Amino acid sequence: DTAVSQTPKYLVTQMGNDKSIKCEQNLGHDTMYWYKQDSKKFLKIMFSYNNKELIINETVPNRFSPKSPDKAHLNLHINSLELGDSAVYFCASSQQGTGANVLTFGAGSRLTVL
Amino acid sequence: AQSVSQHNHHVILSEAASLELGCNYSYGGTVNLFWYVQYPGQHLQLLLKYFSGDPLVKGIKGFEAEFIKSKFSFNLRKPSVQWSDTAEYFCAVKSGGSYIPTFGRGTSLIVHP
């Protein structure tokens, strides 16, 4: 069983389109994250949810909207896609508390905007 | 605010060479420190972590890291690298006042057979 699963793994789309990436974790963790990894491998936090509540919202265009229907899911919707949105998006989860802060990452979703 | 610096952006070694990747952080209080590895085309995986106790931490695949508080460093080491160690290595730090860890920019390691 995959601990953190993301779909789709690859996404190729045109500029201006709207797309979503889904993430699910079966670890029972209470916190989920979206990270963006650019072409230089730099990993940047975008959002974090704890028990469905938004706790981290970094400087990200408002075209990006996360949604957490329950603590096992954190989806990312992107409106009006731009070329600069091309990247690999990683979902991750963790359990807050003692021994926490260890992130379990999904396999990534490679978004290519043409 | 916490920050992490990885000074070596690209490292190229031959098999059996020794490895040391630098990691320095800025926060002066209690920290949790991590090294993650990303093999080509894969997701990040935890290599090792330091929360407290022995500052010399052993991880998977023969890696270790040493927390030196006075130098704000958490360098990653391996005595003899293998071709399969080719990957991106990310140092991360979480301070007591922060909710999530901050990642360094990563070091790309290429090991030639």
Side-chain angles (χ1 to χ4, degrees), chain A residues 13-73:
Chain A
T13 189
Q14 301 283 338
M15 271 195 329
N17 285 349
D18 303 338
K19 291 293 178 186
S20 292
I21 307 171
K22 296 185 176 181
C23 180
E24 176 182 4
Q25 54 95 3
N26 63 6
L27 297 167
H29 288 167
D30 61 2
T31 305
M32 295 185 73
Y33 312 80
W34 276 110
Y35 281 85
K36 179 181 180 181
Q37 186 176 47
D38 62 23
S39 58
K40 295 183 179 177
K41 303 290 186 179
F42 182 52
L43 203 62
K44 182 179 177 183
I45 182 69
M46 299 175 70
F47 303 103
S48 178
Y49 273 72
N50 175 259
N51 285 317
K52 303 193 302 175
E53 298 295 323
L54 180 65
I55 54 170
I56 299 280
N57 183 356
E58 291 295 306
T59 307
V60 175
N62 58 15
R63 298 182 294 105
F64 290 78
S65 52
K67 283 193 170 52
S68 182
D70 55 60
K71 71 175 190 177
H73 295 84

Side-chain angles (χ1 to χ4, degrees), chain B residues 2 18 25 33 36 45 48 53 56 70 75 102 105 111 113:
Chain B
Q2 61 191 22
S18 64
Y25 62 92
L33 297 157
Y36 285 83
Q45 306 167 45
L48 49 77
L56 185 61
S70 60
N75 292 354
T102 297
R105 292 193 69 94
V111 180

Side-chain angles (χ1 to χ4, degrees), chain A residues 31 33 35 37 40-43 45 48 50 55-56 90 96 99-103 105-108, chain B residues 32 34 36 38 41-46 49 51 88 90 94 98-106:
Chain A
T31 305
Y33 312 80
Y35 281 85
Q37 186 176 47
K40 295 183 179 177
K41 303 290 186 179
F42 182 52
L43 203 62
I45 182 69
S48 178
N50 175 259
I55 54 170
I56 299 280
F90 285 101
Q96 297 303 308
N101 315 311
V102 176
L103 301 180
F105 284 84
Chain B
N32 297 334
F34 311 83
Y36 285 83
Q38 184 179 25
Q42 295 189 29
H43 61 286
L44 278 82
Q45 306 167 45
L46 183 69
K49 63 183 186 290
F51 283 1
E88 292 281 330
F90 294 89
K94 182 194 171 302
S98 177
Y99 203 88
I100 61 167
T102 297
F103 283 80
R105 292 193 69 94

